[in-house]
C-alpha cells in the first residue's frame, strides 16, 4: 500500500515538476522582465509600467494586435468549416480505412514548420506553381497571394488544418450515431438531424478545435515573417522582433504577458460549458 502511494506521488510529481520548471518559472521571469526596461541592449532593473503604457498608446502595436485577432478568428472559423466535412466523411464513410485516413493527417508534421512554409512559398510565389499554371493558361498571375495577409491566411489553413480535423474526428468517433438515426426515423430531415443532434452533441470537440487554431494563430511569428510582406506584420512577429533586431526585451516581455493573459481569458470563455468527455481527449470513450 505504501509503495503504491509512493508510486502515485512520483507519477504526479514528475509532470508537476516539469510544468513548474518549463512553464511557471519562465512565465514568472517574463512577468518580472516586463516591468523593467531595456536601453542599448542592456536591462535596467527599475520597476515601471512604461512598457504596458507603450502597448496601450502606440497605434502600431494596437494595429498589430487587432490584425492578429481578426486573422485568428477568421482562420479558426474557416478551419472549423473546412475540417467538419472532412472529419465527418472519415468517420462515416472511412470504414476500415479510417485509421489510414487519420494517419495521413500526421504526414505534414514529419517536416518542420519552416520547411513547410518554404514549400508554400514555392507554391504561392511570383514564379510558383499557382502563378505558373495561370501564366500557362494565359491568365495574369495573382500577386495578392504572395507577401500579403491573404498568403498568411492560406498558410495558417495549411498548417493547422490537420489539428482541427483530428480534434473533430476524435469527437465524432465518440459520438453515438444511433441518435442521428433515431431522429431521422422520427421524421427529421438531414439538416435538422445535423443542426439539432450531430452538431450540438459534438460542439465541445468543435470548440477545442477552434481553440487549437485560434491561439497559435494569434501568437504566430514565422508565418507573417515568411509570407506576410510589408503590411502583413502580426503581433507575434512584432513581439519576436523585440527579442531580436530591436533588442527591447522588456517591451517584448510585456507583449508576451498581454498575449498570454488575452489567450487565457479567451480560453476560459470558450471553455465554458465544454464537456471534455465528448471531445475524445479523456480516453474514456463515449459517455
Amino acid at each position: 500500500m505504501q509503495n503504491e502511494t509512493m508510486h502515485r506521488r512520483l507519477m504526479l510529481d514528475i509532470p508537476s515538476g516539469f510544468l513548474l520548471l518549463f512553464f511557471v518559472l519562465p512565465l514568472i521571469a517574463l512577468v518580472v522582465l516586463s516591468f523593467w526596461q531595456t536601453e542599448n541592449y542592456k536591462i535596467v532593473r527599475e520597476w515601471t509600467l512604461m512598457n504596458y503604457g507603450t502597448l496601450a498608446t502606440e497605434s502600431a502595436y494596437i494595429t498589430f494586435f487587432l490584425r492578429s485577432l481578426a486573422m485568428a478568428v477568421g482562420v479558426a472559423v474557416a478551419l472549423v468549416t473546412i475540417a467538419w466535412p472532412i472529419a465527418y466523411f472519415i468517420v462515416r464513410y472511412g470504414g476500415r480505412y479510417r485509421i489510414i485516413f487519420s494517419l495521413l493527417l500526421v504526414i505534414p508534421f514529419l517536416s518542420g514548420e519552416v520547411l513547410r512554409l518554404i514549400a508554400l512559398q514555392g507554391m504561392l510565389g511570383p514564379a510558383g506553381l499557382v502563378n505558373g499554371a495561370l501564366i500557362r493558361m494565359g491568365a495574369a498571375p495573382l500577386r495578392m497571394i504572395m507577401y500579403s495577409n491573404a498568403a498568411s491566411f492560406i498558410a495558417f489553413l495549411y498548417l493547422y488544418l490537420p489539428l482541427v480535423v483530428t480534434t473533430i474526428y476524435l469527437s465524432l468517433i465518440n459520438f453515438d450515431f444511433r441518435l442521428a438515426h433515431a431522429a431521422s426515423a422520427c421524421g427529421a430531415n438531414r439538416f435538422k438531424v445535423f443542426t439539432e443532434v450531430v452538431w450540438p452533441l459534438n460542439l465541445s470537440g468543435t470548440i477545442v478545435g477552434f481553440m487549437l487554431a485560434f491561439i497559435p494563430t494569434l501568437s504566430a511569428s514565422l508565418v507573417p515573417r515568411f509570407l506576410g510582406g510589408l503590411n502583413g506584420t502580426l503581433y507575434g512577429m512584432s513581439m519576436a522582433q523585440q527579442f531580436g533586431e530591436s533588442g527591447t526585451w522588456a517591451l517584448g516581455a510585456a507583449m508576451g504577458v498581454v498575449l498570454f493573459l488575452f489567450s487565457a481569458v479567451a480560453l476560459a470563455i470558450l471553455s465554458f460549458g465544454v464537456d471534455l468527455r465528448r471531445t475524445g481527449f479523456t480516453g474514456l470513450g463515449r459517455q
Side-chain angles (χ1 to χ4, degrees), residues 133-144:
L134 290 173
I135 292 171
R136 285 193 190 91
M137 290 187 293
L142 292 175
R143 299 187 184 281
M144 60 164 287

Side-chain angles (χ1 to χ4, degrees), residues 72-96:
V73 172
V75 166
V77 170
L79 280 174
V80 167
T81 306
I82 298 170
W84 244 96
I86 297 174
Y88 189 84
F89 174 83
I90 294 174
V91 173
R92 293 293 289 154
Y93 306 109
R96 58 179 178 174

Side-chain angles (χ1 to χ4, degrees), residues 14 24 42 46 72 90 93 103 108 148 166 180 189 191 205 207 235 239 254 259 261-262 271 286:
I14 291 175
V24 177
K42 292 182 180 177
E46 294 178 0
I90 294 174
Y93 306 109
L103 288 176
S148 64
T166 302
N189 58 33
F191 180 75
I207 291 175
Y235 194 79
M239 180 176 64
L259 195 61
L261 292 176
F262 185 85
S271 299
R286 187 184 305 140

Side-chain angles (χ1 to χ4, degrees), residues 49-116:
L49 292 172
M50 189 177 71
N51 296 316
Y52 291 99
T54 302
L55 295 178
T57 55
E58 288 282 343
S59 60
Y61 297 112
I62 296 172
T63 301
F64 295 155
F65 185 81
L66 293 178
R67 187 185 294 162
S68 295
L69 183 60
M71 179 71 78
V73 172
V75 166
V77 170
L79 280 174
V80 167
T81 306
I82 298 170
W84 244 96
I86 297 174
Y88 189 84
F89 174 83
I90 294 174
V91 173
R92 293 293 289 154
Y93 306 109
R96 58 179 178 174
Y97 299 109
R98 283 193 303 193
I99 186 65
I100 296 176
F101 284 124
S102 56
L103 288 176
L104 287 175
L105 297 172
V106 184
I107 288 180
F109 294 101
L110 297 178
S111 59
E113 186 172 336
V114 172
L115 192 61
R116 281 180 281 161

